[in-house]
């Protein structure tokens, strides 16, 4: 198993927001140059492309922005303006270096983001709604900060879609969401190796009802 696959097993085993902050702060500097490169991590590009194709309105919030890969792709596609939030100040500092976000701010999706209800026109997220990170309860905070009718695209790890309760949670949202659809997505490109190389997930795309 490669080191990048070990990195993945470690993050799926994180237990709390504090664990995430500590772990990602320590990983921020090398995330793009080891994990993203070694695993040929294509998910942020795929999520940004699917979201852009569905016609998001600004301002856009990138949720669990990490080192800013989703924001970078959106801006390259001419979509924006984009803000980013993450629990890890280290990851946000790496994102700031890409110079693609209007505003970056710390926030815990399992608590309350420092954002007024309905402030954002749309929201997008890659790699954050998964085991050891943000569970289905985090979807509520995304719904709160997006205006009625706004587009939301969240990637959800395929292995955890049912096991971690995402499928059941979406089934209970009723008229809080509209136009719900799932699109399958690969996490890693052809250069990936190891146990996680063929991992897939879902892009859950919907509008705030
Ligand atoms: C796998 S990274 C994905 C980052 C980026 N979207 C990408 O695709 O490269 C997961 C991110 O979720 C963030 N995260 C974990 N728990 C969080 C929470 N409770 N609230 C906000 N962000 C969180 C981590 O700090 C990390 O940057």
């Amino acid at each position: 198993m490669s080191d990048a696959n070990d990195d993945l097993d470690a993050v799926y085993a994180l237990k709390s927001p504090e664990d995430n902050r500590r772990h990602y702060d320590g990983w921020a500097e090398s995330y793009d140059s080891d994990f993203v490169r070694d695993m040929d991590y294509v998910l942020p590009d795929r999520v940004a492309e699917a979201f852009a194709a569905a016609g998001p309105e600004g301002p856009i919030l990138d949720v669990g922005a990490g080192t800013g890969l989703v924001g970078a792709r959106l801006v390259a596609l001419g979509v924006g303006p984009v803000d980013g939030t993450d629990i890890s100040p280290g990851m946000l500092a790496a994102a700031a270096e890409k110079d693609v976000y209007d505003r970056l701010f710390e926030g815990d999706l399992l608590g309350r983001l420092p954002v007024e209800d309905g402030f954002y026109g749309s929201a997008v997220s890659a790699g954050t709604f998964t085991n050891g990170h943000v569970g289905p309860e985090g979807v509520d905070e995304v719904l709160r900060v997006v205006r009625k009718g706004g587009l939301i695209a969240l990637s959800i790890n395929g292995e955890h879609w049912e096991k971690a309760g995402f499928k059941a949670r979406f089934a209970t949202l009723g008229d809080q969401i509209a136009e719900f659809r799932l699109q399958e997505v690969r996490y890693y490109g052809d250069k990936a190796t190891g146990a996680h190389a063929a991992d897939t997930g879902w892009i859950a795309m919907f509008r705030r009802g």
Side-chain angles (χ1 to χ4, degrees):
M1 186 182 283
S2 73
D3 288 350
N5 279 268
D6 291 345
D7 286 340
L8 280 169
D9 290 333
V11 294
Y12 288 144
L14 295 172
K15 296 272 185 277
S16 66
E18 291 69 33
D19 280 356
N20 270 269
R21 184 183 293 114
R22 202 175 316 112
H23 187 92
Y24 278 99
D25 274 352
W27 199 10
E29 217 172 287
S30 63
Y31 181 90
D32 285 2
S33 59
D34 61 23
F35 169 70
V36 173
R37 187 202 57 197
D38 293 350
M39 285 303 284
D40 192 10
Y41 178 53
V42 296
L43 179 73
D45 280 1
R46 295 297 97 84
V47 170
E49 288 154 10
F51 177 69
E57 286 182 358
I60 294 165
L61 182 62
D62 178 7
V63 175
T67 61
L69 297 169
V70 170
R73 187 72 188 126
L74 286 176
V75 168
L77 291 167
V79 175
V82 193
D83 289 353
T85 187
D86 199 282
I87 201 167
S88 158
M91 294 296 265
L92 290 171
E97 284 175 21
K98 293 193 172 65
D99 201 20
V100 291
Y101 292 95
D102 267 32
R103 191 166 88 91
L104 288 164
F105 58 91
E106 265 182 69
D108 178 1
L109 277 160
L110 296 173
R112 190 177 172 88
L113 298 176
V115 176
E116 284 169 30
D117 294 0
F119 178 81
Y120 283 100
S122 53
V124 61
S125 181
T128 298
F129 287 84
T130 192
N131 240 27
H133 293 62
V134 176
E137 63 277 26
V139 176
D140 293 15
E141 193 55 4
V142 180
L143 286 170
R144 185 184 70 75
V145 301
V146 171
R147 75 172 73 112
K148 202 171 161 52
L151 182 70
I152 300 173
L154 311 176
S155 83
I156 296 164
N157 184 289
E159 200 194 322
H160 308 139
W161 167 248
E162 280 202 57
K163 246 198 282 184
F166 286 100
K167 184 179 177 188
R169 179 71 190 129
F170 277 106
T172 66
L173 287 175
D175 60 10
Q176 291 182 71
I177 61 173
E179 299 175 30
F180 180 84
R181 56 207 186 275
L182 287 175
Q183 180 177 325
E184 195 164 20
V185 65
R186 268 192 70 179
Y187 273 48
Y188 308 105
D190 294 338
K191 290 187 230 107
T193 58
H196 288 284
D199 282 4
T200 62
W202 301 104
I203 301 172
M205 184 100 67
F206 49 96
R207 290 191 179 272
R208 166 95 159 71

